[in-house]
Amino acid sequence: MINKSPFESMSLDDCLKYASKGSAIILYEDGIYAAMAGTAIESKMNTVASDYKVYVLKEDLMQRGIDKLISGVTEVDYAGFVDLVEEHKTCSW
Amino acid sequence: MNDEMAKLMVVFRTAPYGSIYSFEGLENVLIMGAYDQDVSVLFIDDGVFAIKKGMDNSGTGIKDFSPTFRALEAYDIEKIFIDRTSMESRGLTKDDLVIDAELIESDTVEKMMEEQKNFFMF
């Protein structure tokens, strides 16, 4: 679970260092900027999206006006977020 | 009189909702504008996200304060700048933003920062 912008924090990179391939990564709050299409980290994120199951919280995308996402990420709402947390062991970075 | 006025710069460098900084920065600009200071405003790094169009708070209920940036002109704050590199590396263009501001290159940002008397970083 990542809630910091990838442009100002190493949270995402730190998470990727330790997460095993195929794990679920949830981007929420400022973490959602990682899933935005057209950024300088897009190609890196395309790889991340193919190696991991990447989820992004829809309400935080809307709040920040982000509507174009890289392919391979799944939008979830608050209820979906809760389901994911129930389903997995969680770790906040 | 104008020559003696200190040059002040409010710099937005964080994204708008993950912290209170951006909102506080906006209040700060409006207050300085109301007191007729020589204020300029600069958006760098994640600060450019604060002026992204299309924010919809119906999911989170957190107030969308981006429209208030449009009020800067009414406060006679006309020196508004955006670091081009910060904007482009975040996949944004001028068309994605709620205000019209001047795009500047990073070396101009550097020069501009040298000219200021005081900075307020948010």
PDB file of all heavy atoms in Angstrom, chain A residues 6 8 16 28 39 44 47-48 73 77 90:
ATOM      1  N   PRO A   6       5.217   9.232  -6.214  1.00  0.00           N
ATOM      2  CA  PRO A   6       6.483   8.624  -6.629  1.00  0.00           C
ATOM      3  C   PRO A   6       7.509   9.680  -7.026  1.00  0.00           C
ATOM      4  O   PRO A   6       8.687   9.372  -7.173  1.00  0.00           O
ATOM      5  CB  PRO A   6       6.081   7.784  -7.843  1.00  0.00           C
ATOM      6  CG  PRO A   6       4.886   8.479  -8.394  1.00  0.00           C
ATOM      7  CD  PRO A   6       4.142   9.019  -7.201  1.00  0.00           C
ATOM      8  N   GLU A   8       8.152  12.371  -5.233  1.00  0.00           N
ATOM      9  CA  GLU A   8       8.803  13.008  -4.086  1.00  0.00           C
ATOM     10  C   GLU A   8       9.182  12.019  -2.990  1.00  0.00           C
ATOM     11  O   GLU A   8       9.721  12.400  -1.968  1.00  0.00           O
ATOM     12  CB  GLU A   8       7.932  14.132  -3.513  1.00  0.00           C
ATOM     13  CG  GLU A   8       6.665  13.664  -2.857  1.00  0.00           C
ATOM     14  CD  GLU A   8       6.122  14.682  -1.853  1.00  0.00           C
ATOM     15  OE1 GLU A   8       6.220  15.885  -2.114  1.00  0.00           O
ATOM     16  OE2 GLU A   8       5.614  14.246  -0.813  1.00  0.00           O
ATOM     17  N   LEU A  16       8.843  -2.021  -4.040  1.00  0.00           N
ATOM     18  CA  LEU A  16       9.167  -2.948  -5.127  1.00  0.00           C
ATOM     19  C   LEU A  16      10.400  -3.795  -4.804  1.00  0.00           C
ATOM     20  O   LEU A  16      10.531  -4.923  -5.263  1.00  0.00           O
ATOM     21  CB  LEU A  16       9.398  -2.172  -6.431  1.00  0.00           C
ATOM     22  CG  LEU A  16       8.161  -1.473  -7.000  1.00  0.00           C
ATOM     23  CD1 LEU A  16       8.543  -0.605  -8.194  1.00  0.00           C
ATOM     24  CD2 LEU A  16       7.087  -2.479  -7.387  1.00  0.00           C
ATOM     25  N   TYR A  28      -2.945   4.694  -3.295  1.00  0.00           N
ATOM     26  CA  TYR A  28      -4.034   5.552  -2.813  1.00  0.00           C
ATOM     27  C   TYR A  28      -3.442   6.893  -2.390  1.00  0.00           C
ATOM     28  O   TYR A  28      -2.222   7.072  -2.403  1.00  0.00           O
ATOM     29  CB  TYR A  28      -4.827   4.871  -1.689  1.00  0.00           C
ATOM     30  CG  TYR A  28      -4.069   4.674  -0.393  1.00  0.00           C
ATOM     31  CD1 TYR A  28      -4.431   5.376   0.758  1.00  0.00           C
ATOM     32  CD2 TYR A  28      -3.014   3.778  -0.312  1.00  0.00           C
ATOM     33  CE1 TYR A  28      -3.746   5.197   1.951  1.00  0.00           C
ATOM     34  CE2 TYR A  28      -2.313   3.602   0.869  1.00  0.00           C
ATOM     35  CZ  TYR A  28      -2.683   4.315   1.991  1.00  0.00           C
ATOM     36  OH  TYR A  28      -1.986   4.145   3.162  1.00  0.00           O
ATOM     37  N   THR A  39       3.548  10.192 -17.829  1.00  0.00           N
ATOM     38  CA  THR A  39       4.565  10.808 -16.968  1.00  0.00           C
ATOM     39  C   THR A  39       5.955  10.259 -17.289  1.00  0.00           C
ATOM     40  O   THR A  39       6.104   9.308 -18.053  1.00  0.00           O
ATOM     41  CB  THR A  39       4.293  10.538 -15.475  1.00  0.00           C
ATOM     42  OG1 THR A  39       4.614   9.177 -15.191  1.00  0.00           O
ATOM     43  CG2 THR A  39       2.838  10.800 -15.113  1.00  0.00           C
ATOM     44  N   LYS A  44       8.598   2.687 -16.637  1.00  0.00           N
ATOM     45  CA  LYS A  44       8.879   1.898 -15.432  1.00  0.00           C
ATOM     46  C   LYS A  44       7.572   1.306 -14.859  1.00  0.00           C
ATOM     47  O   LYS A  44       7.509   0.138 -14.478  1.00  0.00           O
ATOM     48  CB  LYS A  44       9.546   2.807 -14.398  1.00  0.00           C
ATOM     49  CG  LYS A  44       9.742   2.170 -13.041  1.00  0.00           C
ATOM     50  CD  LYS A  44      10.402   3.165 -12.100  1.00  0.00           C
ATOM     51  CE  LYS A  44       9.934   2.966 -10.681  1.00  0.00           C
ATOM     52  NZ  LYS A  44      10.496   3.962  -9.770  1.00  0.00           N
ATOM     53  N   THR A  47       6.183  -1.765 -16.594  1.00  0.00           N
ATOM     54  CA  THR A  47       6.815  -2.995 -16.117  1.00  0.00           C
ATOM     55  C   THR A  47       6.221  -3.417 -14.775  1.00  0.00           C
ATOM     56  O   THR A  47       5.913  -4.594 -14.557  1.00  0.00           O
ATOM     57  CB  THR A  47       8.339  -2.769 -15.948  1.00  0.00           C
ATOM     58  OG1 THR A  47       8.824  -2.148 -17.123  1.00  0.00           O
ATOM     59  CG2 THR A  47       9.067  -4.063 -15.696  1.00  0.00           C
ATOM     60  N   VAL A  48       6.060  -2.449 -13.891  1.00  0.00           N
ATOM     61  CA  VAL A  48       5.476  -2.746 -12.571  1.00  0.00           C
ATOM     62  C   VAL A  48       4.087  -3.361 -12.737  1.00  0.00           C
ATOM     63  O   VAL A  48       3.749  -4.365 -12.101  1.00  0.00           O
ATOM     64  CB  VAL A  48       5.386  -1.465 -11.698  1.00  0.00           C
ATOM     65  CG1 VAL A  48       4.619  -1.732 -10.412  1.00  0.00           C
ATOM     66  CG2 VAL A  48       6.784  -0.939 -11.386  1.00  0.00           C
ATOM     67  N   VAL A  73      -3.622  -1.379 -14.829  1.00  0.00           N
ATOM     68  CA  VAL A  73      -3.960  -1.124 -13.429  1.00  0.00           C
ATOM     69  C   VAL A  73      -5.479  -1.194 -13.262  1.00  0.00           C
ATOM     70  O   VAL A  73      -6.225  -0.911 -14.184  1.00  0.00           O
ATOM     71  CB  VAL A  73      -3.432   0.239 -12.905  1.00  0.00           C
ATOM     72  CG1 VAL A  73      -1.931   0.355 -13.073  1.00  0.00           C
ATOM     73  CG2 VAL A  73      -4.132   1.402 -13.582  1.00  0.00           C
ATOM     74  N   ASP A  77     -13.027   1.002  -5.736  1.00  0.00           N
ATOM     75  CA  ASP A  77     -13.631   2.028  -4.892  1.00  0.00           C
ATOM     76  C   ASP A  77     -13.320   1.674  -3.426  1.00  0.00           C
ATOM     77  O   ASP A  77     -12.592   0.722  -3.148  1.00  0.00           O
ATOM     78  CB  ASP A  77     -15.133   2.148  -5.164  1.00  0.00           C
ATOM     79  CG  ASP A  77     -15.871   0.830  -4.952  1.00  0.00           C
ATOM     80  OD1 ASP A  77     -15.271  -0.117  -4.383  1.00  0.00           O
ATOM     81  OD2 ASP A  77     -17.044   0.744  -5.343  1.00  0.00           O
ATOM     82  N   THR A  90      -1.186  -6.971   4.691  1.00  0.00           N
ATOM     83  CA  THR A  90      -0.883  -5.626   4.171  1.00  0.00           C
ATOM     84  C   THR A  90       0.386  -5.051   4.783  1.00  0.00           C
ATOM     85  O   THR A  90       0.776  -5.385   5.901  1.00  0.00           O
ATOM     86  CB  THR A  90      -2.040  -4.634   4.453  1.00  0.00           C
ATOM     87  OG1 THR A  90      -2.212  -4.528   5.859  1.00  0.00           O
ATOM     88  CG2 THR A  90      -3.316  -5.091   3.793  1.00  0.00           C
TER      89      THR A  90
END
